[in-house]
Amino acid sequence: SSGFDADLAILSHSGDMDLLVKAGKVDAAWRETPSKGILTNSLVVIGHRPGNPKSIHDWADLAQPGVGVLYPDPKTSGGARWNINAIYGAALLDAREKNPENPDLAPVRDRLAKVQANVVNMDQSGRQSMASFSRRGVGDAVVTYENELLLQAKEGDPIPYVVPSSTLLIESPVALVGPSIAKHGNEELAKAFLDFLYSTEAQTIFAEFGFRPVDEAAKAAVADRPQPARVFTTDDLGGWAKLEEELYSTNGLWTEIAAQTVQNRGK
């Protein structure tokens, strides 16, 4: 929305795309594709040290005493919000399963608070978090996108990882930027390129770089990847606007927990 002269927007999450809709840059019907406007998928996973010395297998393990956790700051990183939403969502869905009518949110808060208390550093971005973990040796576990870890392995610097039993499907949206296309007069070219990105050929390339394709034919390329018992989406948690309010607003759950954690460390 700052005015970069792009014909195509591939963003962190659909909440960001909605900002471009409000700014008049992207058509409100951008979700009207077979994949609902999503170009690639991934999962929120946990990277750990070789040999898994802290025995990290699921979200609850990140809440144990003596485990140093890394994820970026959700005030500066869309990736961080995916990560925190995954931890929050898994606990919330557990609570809903136990009592659909009136879920007990105390364990949800407790899980978030204990994990946040173990966070040793919050970098500005997911890439910086990965660098802190892999190059600087900070922490015992890094919460991140599966595709980031698979890309690192492809580049010869593998980090072992686990897929939690219940985790969040990362959905990366794509849309044409109408005003830029009108200015450049390249609508046919921009649409053709977007069609190519959805093709089996392009989706297979995305798979080679760690993503989970949305194209059915390309999904064969990732058939051997670990599959969690439960995959949920942001829609299962009420959507991005609801999560922003519940977790990251001034009185949001994560905002309050983070402030309390800082206060506790200062004592």
Side-chain angles (χ1 to χ4, degrees):
S1 64
S2 298
F4 284 109
D5 210 16
D7 299 310
L8 199 70
I10 303 174
L11 302 179
S12 178
H13 60 74
S14 58
D16 286 346
M17 196 67 81
D18 288 338
L19 293 176
L20 292 188
V21 173
K22 285 175 186 168
K25 306 284 186 184
V26 165
D27 193 302
W30 67 270
R31 286 183 176 85
E32 292 177 13
T33 73
S35 66
K36 296 182 180 175
I38 302 304
L39 180 61
T40 57
N41 288 327
S42 192
L43 296 175
V44 182
V45 301
I46 308 168
H48 58 74
R49 296 299 175 191
N52 203 358
K54 293 293 176 86
S55 196
I56 293 162
H57 302 285
D58 215 328
W59 299 124
D61 300 315
L62 300 185
Q64 297 301 313
V67 175
V69 178
L70 281 176
Y71 51 61
D73 188 338
K75 292 195 289 290
T76 58
S77 166
R81 297 193 178 199
W82 282 111
N83 299 338
I84 295 164
N85 292 351
I87 300 166
Y88 169 75
L92 180 65
L93 293 178
D94 282 346
R96 283 183 189 166
E97 275 186 1
K98 288 171 185 166
N99 189 341
E101 297 302 316
N102 189 25
D104 180 7
L105 298 183
V108 181
R109 182 185 178 88
D110 184 63
R111 171 69 56 78
L112 265 185
K114 284 181 174 171
V115 174
Q116 184 60 36
N118 282 345
V119 172
V120 291
N121 194 38
M122 285 196 298
D123 290 295
Q124 283 198 313
S125 72
R127 280 286 159 87
Q128 287 174 313
S129 238
M130 286 288 293
S132 292
F133 187 78
S134 63
R135 293 182 204 146
R136 292 170 48 213
V138 177
D140 303 300
V142 58
V143 184
T144 188
Y145 296 8
E146 181 187 51
N147 59 282
E148 287 285 345
L149 294 174
L150 292 175
L151 177 61
Q152 188 135 337
K154 184 180 175 73
E155 291 173 347
D157 188 16
I159 292 172
Y161 73 96
V162 293
V163 178
S165 58
S166 174
T167 194
L168 183 59
L169 184 72
I170 297 167
E171 300 171 292
S172 299
V174 62
L176 298 167
V177 183
S180 289
I181 289 169
K183 178 182 170 185
H184 299 147
N186 61 355
E187 182 177 7
E188 190 177 335
L189 179 64
K191 285 183 174 175
F193 182 61
L194 181 56
D195 287 344
F196 170 72
L197 292 180
Y198 276 124
S199 71
T200 300
E201 180 185 355
Q203 290 280 311
T204 302
I205 294 169
F206 285 133
E208 288 168 8
F209 282 83
F211 294 94
R212 296 194 179 217
V214 297
D215 173 74
E216 288 301 322
K219 285 181 181 179
V222 300
D224 60 342
R225 290 197 198 157
Q227 197 62 29
R230 177 170 64 193
V231 178
F232 56 91
T233 68
T234 50
D235 284 347
D236 295 324
L237 306 177
W240 276 101
K242 189 167 188 283
L243 286 166
E244 295 281 326
E245 183 63 31
E246 282 182 357
L247 293 177
Y248 309 110
S249 64
T250 307
N251 299 315
L253 181 60
W254 184 86
T255 304
E256 289 183 353
I257 285 170
Q260 188 63 51
T261 303
V262 170
Q263 192 176 332
N264 291 344
R265 285 176 181 170
K267 288 179 181 175

